[in-house]
Amino acid sequence: MWWQKVIFICFSTQQLNDSTNSMIAIIDYGAGNLTSVKRALDYLKIPSVISPDPKAVRSAKQIIFPGVGHAAAAMKKLRERGLDGALRDAFAAGTPIMGICLGTQIILSRSEEGDTECLGIIAGTVPRFRLSDPALKVPHMGWDAITVKQKHPVLCDVRPGDEFYFVHSYYPLPSDPSAVIATCGYETEFPAIIGAMNFIGTQFHPEKSGSAGLRILKNFAAWKGAPC
Amino acid sequence: MLSRRIIACLDVRNGKLAKSVRFVNTKDIGDPVAAARKYYENGIDELVFYDITASSDKRDIMIDVVSKVASQVFIPFSVGGGLRSVEDCTRVRLAGAEKVNVNTAAVANPRLIADVAASLGSQAVVLSMDVLRVGASPATPSGYEIVTHGGRTRTGMDALAWAKKGEQLGAGELVVNSIDADGTRTGYEITLTRMIAENVHIPVIASGGGGAPEHLYEVLTEGKADAALIASILHYGEYRLRDIKEYLHKRGVKVRMV
């Protein structure tokens, strides 16, 4: 019967919306290996979907904004796909967003990498490491400990001495020092985690940081977006 | 300050460990995924899988191993052996490996380093070099020569020049494997490692000769290596990873304690 079809269609659409709304959307903008984030969430049995679709980003329960690569190339892709606007809307709507590496950097206003105008969701810049010790190599690559400066629900079980995996030549520098949640030292102290309102971003890769990193992803999945 | 990394190396042939790993329980003997999982739980900082499968038609087995490892081991790991093109490297990376190791194919075609770096980023490209001590000569002023095929083929290339060229072409890290020290378990080649580490601006991973915790200490301090590769010292269960790390920690080397 025709009405059965209508009911079926309504029902399936409803289901589809429900399923997107209850998941973490991992933003796909062609920047790096998104599957490693997806694999970590799958392992933790946290439902997620990799999506290039601005609509899915706007309606997602939570968003993970990863990225590896060049700031200028990343911004170009985001704009082409309309994901820049979708991210701003989601942030304004209070959706919990987690940036990883390049994702955390381009949330800020401007990056020194290719002198790129970025999303500007949080005011700040992305400088390159300028180190005087010739023995220190750039990128800052490998395992390093962080110092938590401010309590945050996503970091509730980070233990002193926990180390995380970094690979980066640039780092996020918010204009407002109160947006620095944790720091790391590489000749000078630099922000390793930044956050404001419903955004939190790590410079390191939680998906490659063993059990300490997985705990952060798990905490993020339970986070409703309110700061401490 | 970055921790010095300890990297476990696993040789894989046709999807199985080429050498058995002692601690793995009986039913898992020879399974690289189980070994990787165990090392991960014990606090290894990184893993390297060398695919020593001879026939190319069995290479897909390795891709399967890589994706299984990637779904349960959440630290960086790299894959090497038989990677000859950007496509080969991309497949390994999409299967979940953080980095790719190129060696013989890069000696034959140095452009490969630049091409893979352009496609996957320098951080994903590890140049492995097998090095033989030959004494200084006009062709090899550093006293070390690059060899391939496990040391059987001499290339006439100077090791230090090749390391610098690899960095210039876009390699993100170097594995310096001493053919002289390999298998001896009497210590890494300190002179070689230090010479390379002092002349490049990318991390150097020392390989070959690690047989006791003090060998790692030597190469991570005097040898100036950023990381040390270990294999049999762990596989045969003579030392536990935790003991090695505690030893290094006590002697003032910063390592990640899990």
Side-chain angles (χ1 to χ4, degrees):
Chain A
M1 298 298 281
W2 66 270
W3 54 268
Q4 283 178 312
K5 276 188 189 162
V6 170
I7 287 175
F8 176 73
I9 290 166
C10 292
F11 184 66
S12 349
T13 319
Q14 185 60 44
Q15 263 200 328
L16 194 71
N17 283 340
D18 277 355
S19 62
T20 328
N21 288 346
S22 64
M23 282 195 197
I24 294 180
I26 303 167
I27 302 186
D28 175 8
Y29 59 110
N33 213 355
L34 308 172
T35 51
S36 55
V37 175
K38 171 80 179 139
R39 283 192 187 94
L41 294 173
D42 287 351
Y43 178 79
L44 294 167
K45 300 192 168 56
I46 295 165
S48 66
V49 58
I50 295 177
S51 179
D53 179 10
K55 266 188 267 173
V57 169
R58 284 191 177 90
S59 69
K61 178 181 84 116
Q62 290 173 301
I63 295 165
I64 291 185
F65 183 36
V68 173
H70 195 281
M75 281 308 300
K76 186 166 173 277
K77 279 272 171 58
L78 283 173
R79 289 196 185 104
E80 276 169 12
R81 294 186 181 179
L83 287 163
D84 53 337
L87 265 164
R88 284 194 192 92
D89 291 350
F91 179 71
T95 309
I97 305 173
M98 180 170 190
I100 297 176
C101 195
L102 182 65
T104 296
Q105 296 177 357
I106 60 181
I107 281 289
L108 297 168
S109 326
R110 198 162 195 93
S111 173
E112 273 185 15
E113 190 175 26
D115 191 22
T116 305
E117 191 188 338
C118 299
L119 291 164
I121 290 176
I122 297 174
T125 57
V126 185
R128 191 183 160 87
F129 279 116
R130 288 182 189 83
L131 307 173
S132 53
D133 182 352
L136 293 180
K137 292 161 184 174
V138 175
H140 170 244
M141 184 176 78
W143 295 87
D144 217 330
I146 61 169
T147 307
V148 177
K149 298 282 179 182
Q150 285 183 57
K151 279 192 171 181
H152 193 286
V154 172
L155 307 176
C156 60
D157 49 9
V158 171
R159 294 180 296 232
D162 277 351
E163 295 194 13
F164 300 90
Y165 190 75
F166 290 82
V167 190
H168 62 125
S169 303
Y170 298 79
Y171 58 89
L173 189 62
S175 312
D176 180 357
S178 73
V180 177
I181 309 289
T183 60
C184 179
Y186 199 51
E187 193 173 273
T188 52
E189 200 179 33
F190 70 88
I193 303 179
I194 61 170
M197 319 261 282
N198 46 312
F199 175 82
I200 183 144
T202 63
Q203 177 53 65
F204 55 82
H205 290 270
E207 77 282 12
K208 288 284 171 190
S209 296
S211 53
L214 293 181
R215 285 200 300 273
I216 287 184
L217 290 174
K218 203 173 172 183
N219 294 340
F220 172 71
W223 186 43
K224 303 275 190 272
C228 265
Chain B
M1 186 46 86
L2 289 168
S3 288
R4 302 282 159 169
R5 284 171 285 157
I6 300 182
I7 304 174
C9 176
L10 296 160
D11 289 341
V12 181
R13 186 191 291 121
N14 301 331
K16 294 279 170 200
L17 289 174
K19 296 171 200 157
S20 65
V21 173
R22 183 177 264 179
F23 60 64
V24 176
N25 57 40
T26 332
K27 73 175 163 45
D28 288 330
I29 275 187
D31 178 9
V33 183
R37 173 81 202 170
K38 192 78 184 168
Y39 286 142
Y40 165 65
E41 283 166 359
N42 290 351
I44 201 78
D45 300 313
E46 200 165 320
L47 292 160
V48 187
F49 297 89
Y50 282 119
D51 185 9
I52 54 171
T53 303
S55 66
S56 54
D57 57 321
K58 286 187 175 156
R59 285 266 151 71
D60 284 351
I61 303 173
M62 192 60 196
I63 294 295
D64 186 46
V65 169
V66 172
S67 85
K68 280 184 180 142
V69 169
S71 63
Q72 46 182 301
V73 169
F74 301 100
I75 52 170
F77 69 93
S78 67
V79 174
L83 303 177
R84 292 191 178 84
S85 62
V86 174
E87 292 69 38
D88 288 346
C89 294
T90 307
R91 281 186 74 207
V92 163
R93 181 110 156 104
L94 287 176
E98 194 72 5
K99 308 171 190 180
V100 293
N101 272 268
V102 291
N103 188 338
T104 308
V107 171
N109 168 30
R111 281 291 315 165
L112 178 66
I113 300 170
D115 292 346
V116 179
S119 173
L120 303 177
S122 281
Q123 86 292 335
V125 186
V126 184
L127 174 62
S128 280
M129 30 197 267
D130 291 333
V131 183
L132 189 69
R133 196 190 306 121
V134 290
S137 73
T140 53
S142 72
Y144 292 92
E145 183 180 333
I146 296 294
V147 295
T148 57
H149 303 94
R152 293 190 303 276
T153 311
R154 306 271 295 258
T155 67
M157 287 160 63
D158 182 71
L160 182 57
W162 178 233
K164 288 181 178 172
K165 190 171 179 191
E167 177 184 18
Q168 213 174 48
L169 286 166
E173 283 179 280
L174 297 174
V175 172
V176 179
N177 181 44
S178 165
I179 292 295
D180 304 289
D182 197 20
T184 63
R185 301 166 76 186
T186 53
Y188 296 88
E189 233 277 29
I190 304 295
T191 314
L192 167 70
T193 311
R194 184 183 177 117
M195 176 184 70
I196 305 274
E198 283 179 337
N199 283 284
V200 296
H201 305 94
I202 51 178
V204 167
I205 302 161
S207 165
E214 48 269 38
H215 298 152
L216 281 89
Y217 174 78
E218 280 168 18
V219 84
L220 294 173
T221 53
E222 204 186 322
K224 298 203 167 179
D226 297 274
L229 213 68
I230 51 174
S232 51
I233 174 178
L234 266 191
H235 302 336
Y236 302 139
E238 285 162 45
Y239 293 93
R240 291 184 313 163
L241 187 61
R242 180 151 194 98
D243 298 335
I244 299 173
K245 283 199 167 182
E246 252 162 27
Y247 174 87
L248 293 169
H249 174 73
K250 274 187 194 143
R251 295 196 66 180
V253 178
K254 187 174 179 268
V255 287
R256 180 177 71 115
M257 303 301 286
V258 175

